[in-house]
Amino acid sequence: MNFSARTAALRICALMLLSFASFTAPSFGQGAGHAHGKQAAKPTGPWMNTSLSPDDRAALVLKELTLDEKILLIHGAGLEGMTPISPTRINSNGGVGFVMGIPRLGIPGIDMSDAAYGVRSSGENGRYSTALPANVGAAASWDVDAAYEYGAVIGRELRAQGFNMSLGGGTNLTRESRNGRTFEYLGEDPVLAGTLVGKLIQGTQSQHVIGDIKHYAFNDQESGRNSVNIHIDERAGRESDLLAFEIGVATGHPAATMCSYNRINGDFACENKYLLTTLLKKDWKFPGFVLSDWGGTHSTEKASAAGLDNEEPGEFFYGDAYKTAVQSGKISTAELDDHVQRILRSMFAAGVVDFPRERSVIDVLGDLDVARRIEEGSIVLLKNTKSVLPLDPAKVRSIAVIGAHADVGMISGGGSAQVDPPGGNAIMPPGQGATHWQEQIWFPTSPLKAIQARAPEASVKYDPGTDPAAAAEAAKGADVAVVFAYVWESEGMDLPNLSLTGNQDAVVAAVAAANPKTIVVLETGSPVTMPWVDSPAAILEAWYAGSDGANALGNVLFGSVNPSGKLPNTFPKSEADLPHPTIVKPPPASENFTGPVAPAVRAAGLPAFQATYDEGLKVGYKWYDAENKPVLFPFGYGLSYTTYDYTGLTVTPGQSVEVTFTVANTGGRNGSEVAEVYAALPASADEPPKRLVGFTKVKLQTGEKRTVTVEVDPKYLSIFDVKKNDWSLVPGDYTFMVGGSSADLPLKQVVTLR
Ligand code: BGC
């Protein structure tokens, strides 16, 4: 949603409302640290007894609330450009969402900020936040500890800036590789995405910040996201996107879930009883609250009955309209109370009542260090002919750095995930770098400088890479050419194809033809096609590399860090191989909303258009495997500067299946290997050839070997049996396969499970 101009408008509204609001509502920090640093009086009341459970504490507060106070908790305070601004918004911390608390009872407001790969909109609030590598990059690390740290940085920086709720946790699977938000998500596999988002949420919530998981569910493309009606059958849904959410909820215990914009099998996600109540709240026992994506609420009674607890960002349906519905008996008090109870219990569970926010100085250096380390573990080495990498600074005399603004910065992903770079957009003149909605933002982390710093004796020259002939000329005379190429992507759009933007394919091809030691560095969120793949000596995928991306990349290029990332998404050979070679696009009448939309229009929603996900559960590698389509680079693939050897597989069935094996570092460098465990189900299960059932990242010194055990949850070996309405293990022979890529699994063992 576009609200680039919102700050000015908000400030004007805020000033106009100030006098009114000061009589009707307390200042920011009631029940939280005071804005001016003074600690507000500690809230009192029986609900402050921390030996009680969050549910019991919430119930005690609920008993005290008037109808108006309850209504206040179930909607946001408005956002210019989308909804009217309510007077209570004056107390907000300047984030994208705000729910007024109950100051008289010491219940703070909920101050929400987008925070996918860092805290959003810090620039317009005059603050700093660290950009971590894009979420898809974090997924490429396959590292649960790094995912936790990633979430913890976000939680810490939110708190330091005065927020107590994160809008992050993107978990939609890469079902459509051209989805403009692929960079915000965690890849194409439900076990990988669900496990990592769970760890990320744990990290965020460890900082006493409410964490969320989004966009629930099947918001797998941006084209027509407000109107598309996704058709998918139940088993396929449960075993793909919904499994990722199920694992994420079970692992991360998010206090909140954000329902998505789209329709699923007829109903909007935010009024879809099957999704919100049957699955999430009953089957998965999610005790938290469901909030709508911004403008994703379309009704009062239907949404409430379906299980939507909180309308964001305003109160078209959950303000006066809700109150009237309760007063007229159309909605029962018990139903309202359930929504309120869930919101309150989440606040207690996440600790936002007991540990009030205190604004503080962000640990810029510490968080940059985390961002760099996570990027170092996320970069994927796709090709390394004749070990051209790592570069030896003692031997390289000249380096041509080409393309993608590599002299000044590295690109980031756009939309509501956008983190603002310190000093502004690196490709703009100083002082003109404010960020705007859907503008390409480059972080001031310069690969050119990082390379020069690591090869101080070498002559390092830059060519912008705009003209293939000039780029080739620059590459020709150098010992090594490092050519950077990018695809920018953002919320609110899908990519037209999987090619590098503009003439970059021609530039890369020309550089690789001119210099046999060409190293390609990709900065993309989605997979890209590579018509030139055979020519360069080396290819690295650096994703959107975050605030300190250039140093991470420099360390990998020169070998002080051994690359260990593995692809969380398959790179196909061409768009023709995708499940939907042409993306399903909305007719003009169903294009996305732009600008403010009247309640009646929102209630009706845009006319639905249909998208049938008939590939079903065959998302990503499951599709390419089942359809026998060769790929460019497979899921789970990534090289290292050392070599690993796998031996000694033992599979022991039990409560969970234990998969034990030994990984050895047989090469000349220390490193970390992502060991992947897949299973092929019995033929009668009618499943794709294999599925990921577990993984672990093993750190190994050169010559070291380690025996590890991966515990496989029986659910990951099961199918969803629609008739039984439950997960079911199909009796028969299971082939367990272990190795370093979905396409290279040297260890195999068949076990009979029943
Ligand atoms: C996005 C959400 C985001 C929300 C608030 C929506 O347009 O889909 O991911 O959290 O806006 O900015």
Side-chain angles (χ1 to χ4, degrees):
M1 154 225 36
N2 185 347
F3 49 97
S4 54
R6 76 185 179 80
T7 317
L10 181 58
R11 297 230 164 92
I12 294 163
C13 283
L15 287 172
M16 282 168 19
L17 292 167
L18 186 57
S19 50
F20 170 65
S22 60
F23 291 109
T24 56
S27 63
F28 164 84
Q30 284 276 352
H34 191 276
H36 302 296
K38 263 191 265 155
Q39 200 65 26
K42 262 240 170 242
T44 51
W47 49 87
M48 292 311 295
N49 177 352
T50 52
S51 66
L52 298 176
S53 72
D55 282 299
D56 289 346
R57 296 174 73 184
L60 288 168
V61 175
L62 182 65
K63 271 204 268 177
E64 302 290 323
L65 297 181
T66 65
L67 176 59
D68 284 329
E69 286 173 328
K70 290 177 186 175
I71 299 289
L72 216 47
L73 286 172
I74 62 167
H75 66 76
L79 188 68
E80 66 285 3
M82 285 201 90
T83 71
I85 308 291
S86 90
T88 58
R89 169 100 207 170
I90 192 97
N91 301 290
S92 113
N93 191 42
V96 71
F98 178 62
V99 173
M100 183 64 197
I102 309 296
R104 73 178 180 90
L105 303 178
I107 303 300
I110 307 180
D111 266 300
M112 309 174 188
S113 173
D114 279 305
Y117 61 90
V119 183
R120 179 198 186 180
S121 297
S122 43
E124 63 184 37
N125 288 315
R127 303 167 186 152
Y128 161 86
S129 40
T130 305
L132 294 150
N135 306 71
V136 71
S141 76
W142 294 59
D143 184 336
V144 291
D145 298 329
Y148 183 93
E149 264 199 287
Y150 190 105
V153 166
I154 288 174
R156 273 203 303 276
E157 293 200 0
L158 281 166
R159 232 177 112 74
Q161 294 189 28
F163 294 105
N164 58 7
M165 177 161 175
S166 159
L167 304 172
T171 310
N172 301 75
L173 292 189
T174 311
R175 179 182 289 278
E176 170 47 72
S177 304
R178 290 157 296 197
N179 178 1
R181 299 187 88 168
T182 303
F183 75 98
E184 273 189 70
Y185 299 140
L186 295 160
E188 66 191 24
D189 182 83
V191 172
L192 179 66
T195 306
L196 293 181
V197 82
K199 288 290 172 184
L200 187 153
I201 292 164
Q202 282 180 16
T204 300
Q205 294 193 154
S206 72
Q207 303 301 310
H208 309 305
V209 164
I210 295 173
D212 86 321
I213 189 165
K214 72 184 185 185
H215 309 87
Y216 184 61
F218 301 105
N219 185 175
D220 294 348
Q221 63 180 61
E222 287 295 277
S223 303
R225 64 177 177 173
N226 281 291
S227 52
V228 66
N229 181 27
I230 305 296
H231 296 268
I232 185 156
D233 75 63
E234 193 179 355
R235 172 171 169 189
R238 289 299 304 262
E239 292 186 26
S240 57
D241 300 54
L242 296 176
L243 179 58
F245 280 95
E246 183 172 355
I247 297 170
V249 167
T251 311
H253 303 289
T257 297
M258 184 191 289
C259 48
S260 56
Y261 285 129
N262 50 292
R263 300 170 166 101
I264 300 117
N265 295 332
D267 283 331
F268 281 112
C270 293
E271 50 188 42
N272 192 310
K273 194 164 197 162
Y274 169 74
L275 281 186
L276 306 188
T277 298
T278 311
L279 275 191
L280 181 67
K281 292 183 176 176
K282 291 203 169 137
D283 191 353
W284 303 347
K285 302 188 173 49
F286 169 72
F289 69 101
V290 177
L291 75 165
S292 70
D293 199 344
W294 268 228
T297 310
H298 298 275
S299 60
T300 304
E301 286 158 50
K302 183 172 178 186
S304 175
L308 177 71
D309 301 299
N310 179 277
E311 175 188 358
E312 289 301 328
E315 49 179 307
F316 285 146
F317 302 100
Y318 272 41
D320 285 347
Y322 202 107
K323 185 177 171 186
T324 309
V326 173
Q327 284 168 332
S328 65
K330 288 194 175 133
I331 293 179
S332 69
T333 302
E335 191 172 302
L336 167 62
D337 284 357
D338 180 56
H339 300 316
V340 176
Q341 167 79 16
R342 284 171 173 276
I343 293 165
L344 290 169
R345 71 88 57 201
S346 300
M347 298 179 79
F348 285 112
V352 305
V353 182
D354 298 332
F355 302 90
R357 290 158 289 167
E358 266 183 273
R359 287 198 186 116
S360 59
V361 179
I362 285 175
D363 178 8
V364 178
L365 299 179
D367 291 352
L368 281 174
D369 190 55
V370 178
R372 195 202 67 254
R373 278 190 286 110
I374 293 178
E375 173 65 5
E376 288 170 349
S378 299
I379 292 174
V380 183
L381 178 62
L382 295 171
K383 184 177 175 187
N384 193 16
T385 312
K386 293 197 198 133
S387 298
V388 64
L389 287 176
L391 299 173
D392 182 348
K395 292 197 182 133
V396 186
R397 298 272 170 271
S398 56
I399 304 176
V401 174
I402 298 165
H405 301 293
D407 53 337
V408 289
M410 297 185 87
I411 200 162
S412 59
S416 59
Q418 183 70 58
V419 173
D420 295 335
N425 195 347
I427 62 167
M428 306 279 281
Q432 290 180 31
T435 55
H436 302 112
W437 179 256
Q438 291 211 326
E439 196 174 73
Q440 295 184 10
I441 308 295
W442 297 74
F443 267 73
T445 175
S446 158
L448 182 73
K449 285 189 191 152
I451 289 170
Q452 180 74 79
R454 284 158 184 80
E457 306 296 320
S459 146
V460 182
K461 297 231 166 77
Y462 177 69
D463 176 273
T466 40
D467 170 46
E473 201 47 43
K476 208 178 278 169
D479 282 356
V480 174
V482 187
V483 56
F484 288 78
Y486 73 95
V487 177
W488 172 77
E489 65 186 34
S490 169
E491 175 183 347
M493 55 172 254
D494 289 323
L495 297 170
N497 50 48
L498 295 178
S499 299
L500 293 174
T501 310
N503 69 348
Q504 294 180 97
D505 274 336
V507 171
V508 173
V511 169
N515 189 321
K517 287 198 176 164
T518 291
I519 296 151
V520 181
V521 177
L522 297 167
E523 295 174 48
T524 77
S526 289
V528 280
T529 50
M530 303 180 200
W532 36 260
V533 67
D534 293 333
S535 311
I539 307 173
L540 286 164
E541 173 60 86
W543 315 107
Y544 300 146
S547 290
D548 203 18
N551 279 321
L553 179 69
N555 289 344
V556 168
L557 286 173
F558 287 88
S560 55
V561 168
N562 188 352
S564 61
K566 302 270 175 104
L567 292 180
N569 287 317
T570 307
F571 279 43
K573 281 182 181 286
S574 88
E575 292 87 7
D577 293 335
L578 295 171
H580 303 279
T582 312
I583 202 162
V584 194
K585 290 269 187 196
S590 302
E591 293 284 358
N592 290 329
F593 290 120
T594 49
V597 179
V601 179
R602 284 219 177 270
L606 290 165
F609 79 101
Q610 314 300 322
T612 302
Y613 287 162
D614 46 12
E615 72 285 358
L617 57 87
K618 289 186 278 174
V619 178
Y621 64 94
K622 293 174 185 163
W623 166 259
Y624 300 103
D625 276 3
E627 303 291 315
N628 277 314
K629 288 182 191 289
V631 300
L632 187 59
F633 292 109
F635 174 77
Y637 168 84
L639 302 171
S640 161
Y641 297 153
T642 188
T643 46
Y644 300 102
D645 195 28
Y646 286 80
T647 50
L649 173 64
T650 331
V651 180
T652 318
Q655 200 93 57
S656 64
V657 177
E658 287 186 355
V659 180
T660 303
F661 51 93
T662 302
V663 196
N665 181 344
T666 50
R669 277 173 190 266
N670 302 339
S672 292
E673 166 72 338
V674 175
E676 305 165 31
V677 181
Y678 295 81
L681 272 58
S684 60
D686 193 20
E687 287 282 313
K690 63 175 173 300
R691 52 163 77 165
L692 181 77
V693 295
F695 60 92
T696 180
K697 195 160 187 172
V698 198
K699 208 171 173 181
L700 293 165
Q701 310 246 304
T702 169
E704 188 184 353
K705 63 170 142 177
R706 200 176 298 174
T707 298
V708 291
T709 297
V710 174
E711 306 251 344
V712 179
D713 186 324
K715 187 175 286 176
Y716 302 173
L717 297 165
S718 301
I719 63 161
F720 188 78
D721 185 328
V722 175
K723 277 204 203 103
K724 283 198 214 151
N725 189 32
D726 204 357
W727 292 95
S728 151
L729 191 95
V730 178
D733 288 347
Y734 285 71
T735 308
F736 286 83
M737 294 163 270
V738 179
S741 151
S742 68
D744 181 16
L745 298 164
L747 305 183
K748 280 194 180 46
Q749 190 184 329
V750 181
V751 242
T752 308
L753 299 177
R754 36 193 93 255

